[in-house]
Amino acid sequence: IISLLASVVLASLNSARAKARDARRMSDFRQIQTALELYASSNNGSYPAAGSSNCNGQSGDAWCRDSQGTNWIPGLGTYIGGGSVPQNITPYGGAGWVYHYYSPSANQYWLMTKMENNSAYTCNGTGGTRPIWFDNASDTCTWWGDGLYVRSVK
C-alpha cells in the first residue's frame, strides 16, 4: 500500500514540476517581449537583428538560441534587469528545444520554445493556438509539432 501511494505522489509531483517549468517559460517570454519592445522604442522601432553573424558566433542558420550564452539576443541584455536574457531552465525534448529568436526584418520577430504540457497557448492536436509563419500561409505546428509555444510580431 505504501509503495502504491508513493508512486501516486511521485507522479503528481513530476506533473506539478513540469507545469511549474512551463509557467517559468511563459514568464521568461513575457520578460523577453517587454525587453524587445523597450529595445525597439530606443532603436527607431527596430528589433534586434538575428543571423549567424549577430548571435554570438552561431552558424548554420539565422536563429539565435539561448544555448549561445546569457546575451543570446544581440543587444537585449541592457533592457533586462540583471543584464542577461533569460534561458530555458530545463530544455524539454533535448538540445533542440532551447529558446529560439528570429527576426526576418527590422519590425518583426519570432520567439519560440517547446512546452512540456499542451495548453490553449501551444500547438496541440485538440485545439490550442496555430501560429502562422511570416509567409501568412504555413502552419508552424506542422513543422515543429505539439507543445510549440510562440510569441511573435508579424
Side-chain angles (χ1 to χ4, degrees):
I1 292 176
I2 292 173
S3 63
L4 178 63
L5 287 173
S7 65
V8 169
V9 168
L10 268 175
S12 296
L13 184 59
N14 287 337
S15 175
R17 286 179 178 160
K19 288 178 183 176
R21 287 189 296 269
D22 281 351
R24 165 75 184 272
R25 291 178 184 105
M26 291 174 76
S27 175
D28 285 351
F29 271 34
R30 282 190 296 275
Q31 185 179 12
I32 294 168
Q33 283 188 284
T34 299
L36 285 166
E37 294 307 320
L38 289 169
Y39 179 99
S41 70
S42 297
N43 290 278
N44 300 317
S46 295
Y47 295 109
S52 61
S53 62
N54 298 322
C55 298
N56 296 331
Q58 175 178 307
S59 62
D61 60 28
W63 291 89
C64 295
R65 294 175 180 83
D66 73 347
S67 57
Q68 299 300 312
T70 57
N71 290 306
W72 56 278
I73 298 176
L76 203 62
T78 305
Y79 300 92
I80 294 180
S84 63
V85 182
Q87 294 176 279
N88 198 341
I89 51 171
T90 305
Y92 174 64
W97 285 111
V98 295
Y99 293 164
H100 293 69
Y101 171 79
Y102 175 71
S103 179
S105 70
N107 62 351
Q108 299 176 306
Y109 71 82
W110 186 273
L111 191 60
M112 74 174 186
T113 194
K114 195 142 185 163
M115 298 291 194
E116 295 178 63
N117 298 288
N118 283 327
S119 72
Y121 305 106
T122 64
C123 295
N124 64 71
T126 60
T129 188
R130 305 301 292 185
I132 303 299
W133 190 243
F134 294 104
D135 63 4
N136 292 319
S138 302
D139 178 351
T140 57
C141 294
T142 59
W143 297 345
W144 289 300
D146 282 1
L148 181 69
Y149 179 69
V150 171
R151 291 294 168 255
S152 65
V153 170
K154 298 192 306 176

